[in-house]
Amino acid sequence: MNNPLDITKKHKLTKKGQETRSRIIVAAADLMYEQGVARTTIEDVQHKAKISSSQMYHYFKEKKELVLEVISYQTSKVIGNHRRYLSDLDSFEALYAWRDFIVDIQIKRNCKGGCPLGSLASELVETNTEAHQEIMSSFFEWEDSIRKGLRYMLNQGELNSNADPDKLAIALLAALQGGLLLTQVRRDPKPIIIALDTMIEHINSFKK
């Protein structure tokens, strides 16, 4: 998936134009994360990005165009942050470092907001076909980054041959998403801690 802030392929914009378009996407992403897609109006985005209505229309003629860019932006941001840990996933120590990273985010946020991609998914997948496809692609990309890390652990001899990186990646991502949702609902980090620790304990059963 292309970085939504790298828009030179789509538009021949000046540096200032690129910065303005990027500012709109970031403002929209923040608002949609905080208050949802449906409740976020174009006027809200204009106000937060500090642009005029004519500027808004110049870069985005319809809200649905902006929503797709927000999905791409959140995908790059979320998966990029996780990939910093998953790309070096070569041991159980590294796996727990990733777990700590996830838990620390929730504690710092006071367990508010949930997963940016998960929030978009819950609101859009049943109502917006194009957004559904983009979100599905985002989760496949996330799943693949986890799978690659687990496969590397397998190749490094950290896991035995009974470990299935494909299944474990799906299970880990499912535990992550479910844990984040319950943590958000309860305003308590325990669900995400329990979900991830339980999955890591299961993966540990394949330790060589």
Side-chain angles (χ1 to χ4, degrees):
M1 183 174 292
N2 292 328
N3 187 330
L5 302 187
D6 180 14
I7 47 75
T8 54
K9 295 179 181 179
K10 293 183 179 180
H11 303 271
K12 293 181 179 179
L13 299 176
T14 62
K15 181 180 179 181
K16 185 177 180 180
Q18 293 175 25
E19 291 172 349
T20 300
R21 190 175 187 277
S22 296
R23 192 166 73 249
I24 293 170
I25 295 170
V26 172
D30 289 345
L31 288 169
M32 290 177 187
Y33 179 64
E34 292 167 4
Q35 61 192 32
V37 176
R39 291 182 59 192
T40 298
T41 66
I42 291 297
E43 290 73 22
D44 291 336
V45 178
Q46 286 175 208
H47 179 73
K48 188 172 181 65
K50 298 180 180 179
I51 60 170
S52 66
S53 57
S54 60
Q55 283 178 299
M56 188 74 197
Y57 184 76
H58 175 71
Y59 296 106
F60 297 100
K61 293 180 170 52
E62 295 182 279
K63 182 179 175 180
K64 65 180 182 181
E65 296 176 10
L66 183 55
V67 168
L68 294 177
E69 291 294 350
V70 166
I71 294 171
S72 294
Y73 169 77
Q74 293 289 25
T75 299
S76 296
K77 183 178 179 181
V78 171
I79 298 177
N81 285 336
H82 282 256
R83 192 171 282 136
R84 287 185 299 155
Y85 294 86
L86 295 171
S87 62
D88 294 325
L89 194 59
D90 58 359
S91 64
F92 279 91
E93 182 181 30
L95 191 58
Y96 274 107
W98 176 53
R99 172 263 193 207
D100 292 343
F101 159 73
I102 295 167
V103 172
D104 287 346
I105 288 176
Q106 295 309 304
I107 293 173
K108 289 175 181 176
R109 291 178 177 171
N110 295 316
C111 303
K112 296 179 180 179
C115 171
L117 285 176
S119 298
L120 289 169
S122 65
E123 190 171 359
L124 296 170
V125 295
E126 301 296 343
T127 60
N128 186 320
T129 302
E130 195 171 359
H132 182 183
Q133 293 299 315
E134 288 296 313
I135 291 169
M136 184 166 60
S137 176
S138 298
F139 275 101
F140 276 134
E141 184 179 345
W142 198 349
E143 178 188 325
D144 187 56
S145 67
I146 297 172
R147 181 187 299 108
K148 286 178 179 177
L150 293 173
R151 191 168 289 156
Y152 188 73
M153 286 181 68
L154 179 64
N155 293 335
Q156 287 293 103
E158 287 288 320
L159 302 174
N160 64 43
S161 59
N162 292 320
D164 186 333
D166 294 336
K167 291 181 179 179
L168 291 174
I170 293 173
L172 252 179
L173 185 55
L176 171 57
Q177 288 300 311
L180 287 175
L181 178 60
L182 287 178
T183 284
Q184 180 185 8
V185 170
R186 296 187 181 189
R187 293 289 192 261
D188 185 342
K190 285 182 182 178
I192 187 60
I193 292 172
I194 292 171
L196 292 177
D197 284 355
T198 300
M199 268 307 305
I200 293 175
E201 286 172 13
H202 175 62
I203 294 172
N204 191 60
S205 70
F206 298 104
K207 193 170 184 179
K208 203 164 184 178

